[in-house]
């Protein structure tokens, strides 16, 4: 095999190995003209081999492969380019891993390896055929086409550095097998730094993944809360529609009711007339919602919790003004979590009541929620935490505190004489359009 044939063969292995790896692991979508780009690369490598020693600088035909594949992706973005580079780093690591047992089995030395380019081609072909089989299997048995994997840029960079460090360490092992102790002695410092850097990066990745898992837990809880709030709003609007239907029915029969009242009045039957008026008054009271907070979403939350805890009496004083600067999502989070905790605590007490007071002090809003409770607030590291023992609790208080901080407010909880009280002050919470 002459030099140009070997270089073209190595470029072919490099191009398709990176293509297979990026398609298998990242589901990278490529343009249909990718084979034309591959042929262009063969021509470029063959021509450049006249002036460039690709045997000495093999990284160059790898760079040509990465460059052409990056331009062949359907969406030419930095992340896609990064994932192509990461695929190359992964393929290089796999090449080194598979070449070590081959070198050990054949007992070939470093000098012989430089002369036997056919052995190098055979070693590289193992990764090529392995990835080709896996790629063919995915094409045949994959039921539906998966979307491209989205990795954050920082993850791609970390994985590239980790792959390079692993490849360097494996290369050191490869040189041990090739009996090149002089290389290890000359590069002892670089080897030590590489091993240390890889260890540090490994720890950093583990910490980062743990942090992301913790963060995803909160995001999942927030998503569940938002889903629950949507259900509450849907139930509330269904209740309003039902009230509207009942109002229409009442109006339809109103003339008949008035006729009956007039008959009872002319007959002088005061007892039946009084009883009839009380029935009509009860019917009229049932046509309108029993609670009005000044905000539709907050009213829906309060009405839903009142229905879920029918034994608990809700006393509501004051209304939220219009034109609030606080977002509807934050209002949902605040009132749902605070009222849910209050109702749940009051349900377990002899006096089952919850008191809510709201006052607008200029542009500021003061919110007070009181309820009987068998125990006071628990604190850990200076922060209030949930007293429930089951897993999954504590997110409500955390979300409330975060909403208050986001709106530059103040949150205070106190417990005295069996009454738990939460006070929140939201400064500049009312827009100028909300004033009368």
């Amino acid at each position: 095999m002459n030099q140009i044939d070997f270089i073209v063969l190595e470029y072919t292995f490099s191009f398709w190995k990176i293509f297979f790896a990026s398609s298998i692991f990242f589901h990278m979508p490529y343009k249909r003209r990718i084979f034309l780009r591959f042929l262009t690369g063969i021509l470029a490598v063959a021509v450049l081999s006249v002036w460039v020693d690709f045997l000495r600088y093999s990284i160059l035909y790898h760079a040509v492969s990465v460059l052409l594949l990056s331009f062949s992706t359907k969406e030419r973005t930095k992340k896609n380019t990064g994932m192509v580079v990461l695929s190359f780093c992964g393929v290089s690591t796999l090449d080194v891993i598979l070449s070590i047992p081959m070198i050990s089995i054949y007992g070939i030395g470093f000098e012989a390896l430089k002369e036997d380019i056919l052995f190098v081609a055979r070693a590289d072909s193992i990764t090529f055929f392995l990835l080709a089989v896996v790629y063919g299997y995915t094409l045949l048995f994959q039921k539906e086409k998966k979307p491209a994997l989205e990795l954050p840029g920082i993850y791609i960079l970390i994985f590239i550095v980790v792959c390079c460090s692993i490849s360097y360490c494996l290369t050191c092992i490869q040189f041990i097998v090739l009996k090149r102790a002089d290389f290890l002695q000359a590069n002892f410092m670089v080897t030590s730094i590489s091993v240390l850097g890889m260890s540090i990066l490994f720890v950093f990745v583990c910490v980062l993944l743990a942090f992301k898992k913790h963060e995803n837990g909160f995001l999942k809880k927030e998503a569940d809360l938002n889903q629950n709030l949507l259900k509450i709003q849907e139930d509330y609007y269904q209740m309003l529609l039902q009230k509207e239907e009942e109002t229409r029915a009442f109006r339809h029969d109103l003339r008949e009711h008035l006729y009956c009242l007039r008959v009872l009045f002319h007959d002088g039957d005061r007892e039946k007339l009084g009883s009839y008026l009380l029935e009509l008054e009860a019917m009229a009271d049932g046509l309108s919602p029993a609670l009005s907070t000044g905000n539709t979403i907050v009213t829906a939350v309060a009405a839903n919790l009142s229905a879920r805890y029918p034994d608990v009496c809700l006393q509501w004083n004051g209304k939220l003004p219009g034109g609030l600067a606080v977002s509807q999502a934050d209002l949902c989070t605040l009132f749902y979590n605070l009222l849910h905790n209050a109702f749940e605590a009051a349900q377990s007490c002899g006096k089952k009541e919850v008191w809510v007071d709201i006052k607008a002090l200029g542009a500021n809003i003061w919110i007070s929620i009181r309820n009987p409770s068998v125990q006071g607030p628990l604190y850990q590291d200076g922060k209030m935490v949930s007293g429930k023992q089951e897993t999954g609790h504590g997110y409500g208080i955390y979300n409330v505190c975060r909403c208050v901080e986001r709106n530059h407010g103040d949150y205070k909880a106190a417990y005295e004489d069996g009454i738990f009280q939460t006070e929140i002050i939201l400064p500049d919470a009312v827009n100028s359009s909300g004033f009368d």
Side-chain angles (χ1 to χ4, degrees):
M1 180 183 293
N2 61 42
Q3 182 175 333
I4 295 180
D5 292 340
F6 171 74
I7 292 170
V8 170
L9 182 62
E10 284 293 291
Y11 161 75
T12 301
F13 285 154
S14 173
F15 184 93
W16 291 112
K17 283 190 295 186
I18 298 171
F19 170 79
F20 292 149
S22 58
S23 300
I24 294 168
F25 298 109
F26 303 123
H27 312 295
M28 184 71 68
Y30 288 100
K31 298 176 182 176
R32 294 182 178 180
R33 294 177 294 176
I34 188 169
F35 192 75
L36 182 61
R37 296 281 172 88
F38 164 68
L39 295 178
T40 304
I42 288 181
L43 182 61
V45 168
V47 172
L48 289 174
S49 63
V50 177
W51 299 282
V52 180
D53 186 1
F54 280 103
L55 291 178
R56 186 174 181 182
Y57 303 105
S58 59
I59 189 64
L60 293 177
Y61 57 75
H62 292 308
V64 172
S65 301
V66 170
L67 183 64
L68 290 174
L69 284 168
S70 298
F71 278 97
S72 300
T73 57
K74 286 189 175 180
E75 293 184 8
R76 217 175 296 169
T77 62
K78 291 181 180 180
K79 283 189 177 181
N80 283 349
T81 302
M83 285 192 283
V84 172
V85 175
L86 178 57
S87 300
F88 162 69
C89 294
V91 166
S92 300
T93 304
L94 188 59
D95 281 338
V96 178
I97 292 173
L98 295 176
S99 66
I100 291 174
M102 279 194 65
I103 295 172
S104 179
I105 292 170
Y106 283 92
I108 191 169
F110 181 74
E111 295 300 328
L113 182 64
K114 289 198 299 183
E115 299 297 329
D116 191 355
I117 58 176
L118 190 59
F119 179 86
V120 176
R122 286 201 302 268
D124 288 340
S125 68
I126 296 176
T127 311
F128 171 79
F129 287 114
L130 178 64
L131 291 173
V133 169
V134 176
Y135 178 73
Y137 178 84
T138 58
L139 287 182
L140 289 174
F141 297 100
Q142 187 172 291
K143 294 182 179 179
E144 56 182 16
K145 191 174 182 181
K146 295 182 179 180
L149 183 64
E150 288 288 338
L151 281 178
I154 185 66
Y155 275 52
I156 295 173
L157 181 61
I158 290 172
F159 289 147
I160 288 174
V161 175
V162 168
C163 282
C164 291
S165 300
I166 293 173
S167 295
Y168 187 85
C169 292
L170 291 172
T171 302
C172 293
I173 297 173
Q174 193 180 55
F175 274 98
I176 292 174
V177 176
L178 289 169
K179 300 177 177 60
R180 283 293 307 275
D182 57 325
F183 173 84
L184 298 177
Q185 292 173 359
N187 297 275
F188 176 76
M189 184 61 69
V190 177
T191 305
S192 301
I193 292 173
S194 177
V195 173
L196 178 62
M198 186 178 66
S199 302
I200 293 173
L201 279 170
F202 177 76
V203 173
F204 176 74
V205 170
C206 290
V207 172
L208 186 63
L209 290 176
F211 174 77
K212 286 294 181 183
K213 182 179 180 182
H214 180 69
E215 185 181 27
N216 288 339
F218 281 111
L219 292 176
K220 184 179 183 302
K221 288 294 178 182
E222 282 193 349
D224 292 341
L225 174 62
N226 290 333
Q227 191 68 28
N228 190 25
L229 291 173
L230 287 174
K231 180 67 169 60
I232 289 173
Q233 285 184 270
E234 182 181 351
D235 293 342
Y236 178 71
Y237 285 120
Q238 289 295 330
M239 183 267 290
L240 290 180
L241 290 174
Q242 182 180 351
K243 295 287 185 184
E244 179 66 21
E245 288 297 321
E246 291 175 358
T247 302
R248 289 178 180 177
F250 181 79
R251 287 175 179 171
H252 180 269
D253 297 336
L254 184 59
R255 185 179 296 275
E256 296 301 321
H257 290 308
L258 291 175
Y259 174 77
C260 292
L261 288 173
R262 187 167 63 249
V263 170
L264 291 173
F265 177 77
H266 285 299
D267 291 345
D269 195 340
R270 290 173 172 251
E271 186 178 350
K272 288 185 178 180
L273 179 62
S275 178
Y276 203 137
L277 287 172
L278 289 175
E279 288 182 16
L280 290 178
E281 185 179 359
M283 290 175 63
D285 289 340
L287 295 177
S288 59
L291 177 67
S292 178
T293 67
N295 182 276
T296 305
I297 292 177
V298 177
T299 301
V301 170
N304 179 270
L305 289 171
S306 295
R308 286 170 58 184
Y309 297 90
D311 296 336
V312 179
C313 178
L314 175 62
Q315 302 289 342
W316 194 286
N317 297 313
K319 288 187 178 183
L320 290 165
L324 289 176
V326 183
S327 70
Q328 298 298 309
D330 283 348
L331 284 175
C332 281
T333 300
L334 286 173
F335 281 96
Y336 176 78
N337 286 293
L338 293 175
L339 288 175
H340 182 266
N341 290 341
F343 272 84
E344 199 171 37
Q347 179 75 14
S348 305
C349 298
K351 191 175 183 180
K352 305 180 189 300
E353 288 188 78
V354 174
W355 303 274
V356 179
D357 294 287
I358 296 176
K359 291 182 181 178
L361 307 173
N364 308 320
I365 292 179
W366 172 75
I367 302 168
S368 171
I369 299 177
R370 293 176 295 135
N371 61 274
S373 178
V374 294
Q375 67 175 14
L378 300 178
Y379 291 90
Q380 183 177 341
D381 299 328
K383 295 182 179 180
M384 191 170 68
V385 297
S386 175
K388 302 165 190 173
Q389 300 300 318
E390 299 88 348
T391 58
H393 291 291
Y395 291 101
I397 296 174
Y398 172 82
N399 288 337
V400 167
C401 293
R402 203 164 62 160
C403 282
V404 173
E405 290 175 5
R406 187 160 50 241
N407 290 278
H408 311 290
D410 183 58
Y411 174 91
K412 184 173 69 174
Y415 182 75
E416 186 177 356
D417 298 331
I419 300 296
F420 185 89
Q421 180 173 6
T422 301
E423 286 186 300
I424 292 176
I425 296 178
L426 300 175
D428 301 322
V430 184
N431 293 322
S432 58
S433 60
F435 296 110
D436 293 339

